[in-house]
Amino acid sequence: QVQLMESGGGSVQAGGSLRLSCVASGFTDSRYCMAWFRQAPGKEREGIASMTSTDSANYADSVKGRFTISQDNSNKILTLQMNSLKPEDTAMYYCALRRGIYCTYDTYRWAALFGYWGQGTQVTVSS
C-alpha cells in the first residue's frame, strides 16, 4: 500500500524558514516522480517543485529562489526547504507521487498526473 507522509509544517513569521519532508513507502518502482504542491483556502492546487532523474530541480515562479527541493532516492524521502517565507505562502502543502516514470522539467505543473497524495502539512506565515 503506497503511503506518503508529510511533516515539518508549522507557523512562522514572514521571513522565516521551514523544512518539509515527505517519506514515501509501499512501492518498489525504480522509476517514479515525486513533487510538492500546495493549496490555499479558496484557491486551486498549485504545483511548486519537482526534480528530474538527473537531479535538475524545477520550481514554480512563485517560489523560485526561496524554496529548494531535494530528494533521497535510496530512502524515498522528498524535502522542501522554504526560506524567506511570505504570508502568501500560507497553504496546505502536499507531497505527490507518480509511479513508473521520471519527472520531466514541468511535471510539477500537472496535479492530474499524480495518483498518490499525502494528507498534507499546514504552513502558516504571519506578517
Side-chain angles (χ1 to χ4, degrees):
Q1 180 180 355
V2 174
Q3 289 189 324
L4 301 173
M5 185 66 68
E6 302 99 334
S7 62
S11 297
V12 296
Q13 290 191 327
S17 298
L18 285 172
R19 184 176 179 87
L20 305 183
S21 294
C22 172
V23 180
S25 62
F27 65 101
T28 58
D29 311 44
S30 58
R31 297 184 180 188
Y32 59 90
C33 169
M34 294 177 69
W36 286 104
F37 292 79
R38 67 184 181 186
Q39 188 166 20
K43 294 189 176 181
E44 292 188 356
R45 189 164 294 191
E46 176 189 19
I48 299 173
S50 62
M51 293 187 71
T52 68
S53 59
T54 56
D55 292 337
S56 173
N58 299 280
Y59 301 95
D61 288 343
S62 58
V63 305
K64 198 173 295 182
R66 300 186 297 120
F67 290 11
T68 303
I69 188 173
S70 59
Q71 187 164 330
D72 176 354
N73 291 312
S74 297
N75 295 297
K76 296 186 175 67
I77 299 174
L78 189 71
T79 61
L80 187 69
Q81 178 65 44
M82 306 187 296
N83 298 328
S84 302
L85 283 162
K86 305 175 181 180
E88 50 264 44
D89 294 319
T90 295
M92 186 71 79
Y93 283 70
Y94 298 91
C95 171
L97 169 69
R98 184 186 186 195
R99 297 176 63 180
I101 191 169
Y102 293 126
C103 295
T104 62
Y105 74 98
D106 67 347
T107 305
Y108 69 89
R109 298 178 185 272
W110 314 111
L113 295 176
F114 293 83
Y116 302 89
W117 294 81
Q119 83 290 347
T121 186
Q122 178 68 38
V123 171
T124 303
V125 184
S126 58
S127 58

